[in-house]
């Protein structure tokens, strides 16, 4: 049973460039959330996708956008990269059952470095 | 702005001791509470969740929740060097599919 998979694992980009990160949820999960984790900090919620629509969004600028595909996989796009966007980007999947015991399962993350 | 505070740390305990990790949250409407363990360079791994006031035990781990005091804690009994990691407290206000608000984490070191 495959868990949450993310690609690539590491990425180096230059300021001003654009980046796309990819995520495949755990088998049976239909909801994908994206988090940004800066060094020494806890993960910060970016947004969540369900039924191919953005359902909730955290306090991130419009440079951060996403997409969910019919197979539940998801992409995170970041435009006009800033040095401060350097972080570990985590994808988490869950099942939209509404049950309290349906917690998030995290992928291994993509380490983005902006130079 | 909903906040989750984990202000104590880093924490160092000898092998075999009890490690106590604390977390407070600001949103009284919070319903579910999670503890994640994160090894250096790795992603968070769920170790405990709790929804009701009181204690919940799973092996060497016990989560404690006091909604009146807006306080949740994690006790690790018989601490092992392999427990050395950062422990993240996370709070969800409306159920498992809503966004999680994380604390910044507490780094635990278990000395052999």
């Amino acid at each position: 049973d495959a868990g949450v998979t993310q690609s690539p694992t590491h990425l180096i980009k230059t300021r001003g460039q654009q980046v796309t990160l990819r995520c495949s949820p755990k088998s049976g999960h239909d909801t994908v959330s994206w988090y940004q984790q800066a060094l020494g900090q806890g993960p910060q919620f970016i947004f969540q996708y369900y039924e191919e629509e953005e359902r909730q969004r955290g306090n991130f600028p419009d440079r951060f956008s996403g997409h969910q595909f019919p197979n539940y996989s998801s992409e995170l796009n970041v435009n006009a990269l800033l040095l401060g966007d350097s972080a570990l980007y985590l994808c988490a999947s869950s099942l939209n059952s509404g049950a309290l015991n349906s917690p998030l399962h995290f992928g291994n993350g993509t380490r983005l470095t902006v130079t | 702005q909903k906040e989750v505070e984990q202000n104590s740390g880093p924490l160092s305990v000898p092998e075999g001791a009890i490690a106590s990790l604390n977390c407070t949250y600001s949103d009284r409407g919070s319903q579910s509470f999670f503890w994640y363990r994160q090894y250096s360079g790795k992603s968070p791994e769920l170790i405990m969740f709790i929804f009701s006031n009181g204690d919940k035990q799973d092996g060497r781990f016990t989560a404690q929740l006091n909604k009146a005091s807006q306080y949740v804690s994690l006790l690790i009994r018989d601490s092992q060097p392999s427990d050395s990691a950062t422990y993240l407290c996370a709070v969800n206000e409306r159920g498992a599919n809503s966004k999680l608000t994380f604390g910044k984490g507490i780094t635990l070191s278990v000395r052999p």
Side-chain angles (χ1 to χ4, degrees):
Chain A
D1 179 19
V4 181
T5 58
Q6 291 187 243
S7 63
T9 55
H10 294 84
L11 205 50
I12 300 174
K13 289 287 188 178
T14 302
R15 208 168 23 173
Q17 286 187 317
Q18 178 265 344
V19 68
T20 297
L21 311 181
R22 295 177 175 82
C23 172
S24 292
K26 178 180 171 65
S27 178
H29 285 182
D30 56 8
T31 303
V32 173
S33 302
W34 287 92
Y35 287 78
Q36 179 196 67
Q37 187 175 24
L39 202 61
Q41 301 297 315
Q44 297 280 313
F45 177 79
I46 303 175
F47 42 54
Q48 183 183 83
Y49 278 85
Y50 172 67
E51 292 188 333
E52 302 179 48
E53 290 190 357
E54 183 182 291
R55 183 160 67 174
Q56 289 193 78
R57 188 178 182 92
N59 189 26
F60 279 81
D62 292 344
R63 298 187 297 109
F64 289 77
S65 63
H67 189 78
Q68 186 180 33
F69 299 94
N71 66 353
Y72 308 119
S73 66
S74 176
E75 288 182 350
L76 164 65
N77 301 293
V78 187
N79 294 323
L81 284 166
L82 303 174
L83 296 179
D85 294 331
S86 295
L88 179 66
Y89 288 84
L90 295 163
C91 171
S93 72
S94 57
L95 181 62
N96 187 52
S97 66
L100 291 178
N101 60 350
S102 179
L104 297 182
H105 293 256
F106 284 90
N108 289 327
T110 294
R111 173 73 62 186
L112 172 65
T113 302
V114 182
T115 62
Chain B
Q1 172 104 6
K2 298 178 175 63
E3 294 182 346
V4 176
E5 300 284 343
Q6 293 181 262
N7 289 326
S8 59
L11 181 64
S12 179
V13 301
E15 185 174 355
I18 296 175
S20 177
L21 311 173
N22 304 318
C23 172
T24 59
Y25 59 94
S26 63
D27 182 13
R28 282 197 172 275
S30 300
Q31 293 187 342
S32 43
F33 308 84
F34 304 85
W35 283 98
Y36 284 83
R37 177 176 62 198
Q38 187 173 28
Y39 292 112
S40 180
K42 303 295 185 183
S43 63
E45 170 194 12
L46 179 70
I47 52 174
M48 290 285 292
F49 58 85
I50 186 167
F51 310 127
S52 304
N53 275 329
D55 294 359
K56 178 182 178 182
Q57 184 174 351
D58 183 1
R60 296 185 297 110
F61 299 95
T62 299
Q64 299 174 317
L65 176 61
N66 184 326
K67 289 187 177 181
S69 299
Q70 295 175 242
Y71 175 94
V72 58
S73 66
L74 179 70
L75 298 178
I76 306 175
R77 290 182 170 74
D78 188 23
S79 296
Q80 302 296 309
S82 59
D83 295 326
S84 298
T86 295
Y87 288 82
L88 297 162
C89 173
V91 174
N92 181 320
E93 64 266 25
R94 276 198 307 275
N97 288 317
S98 295
K99 67 178 185 178
L100 288 185
T101 301
F102 283 84
K104 66 178 182 179
I106 300 171
T107 298
L108 171 66
S109 176
V110 181
R111 308 186 302 271

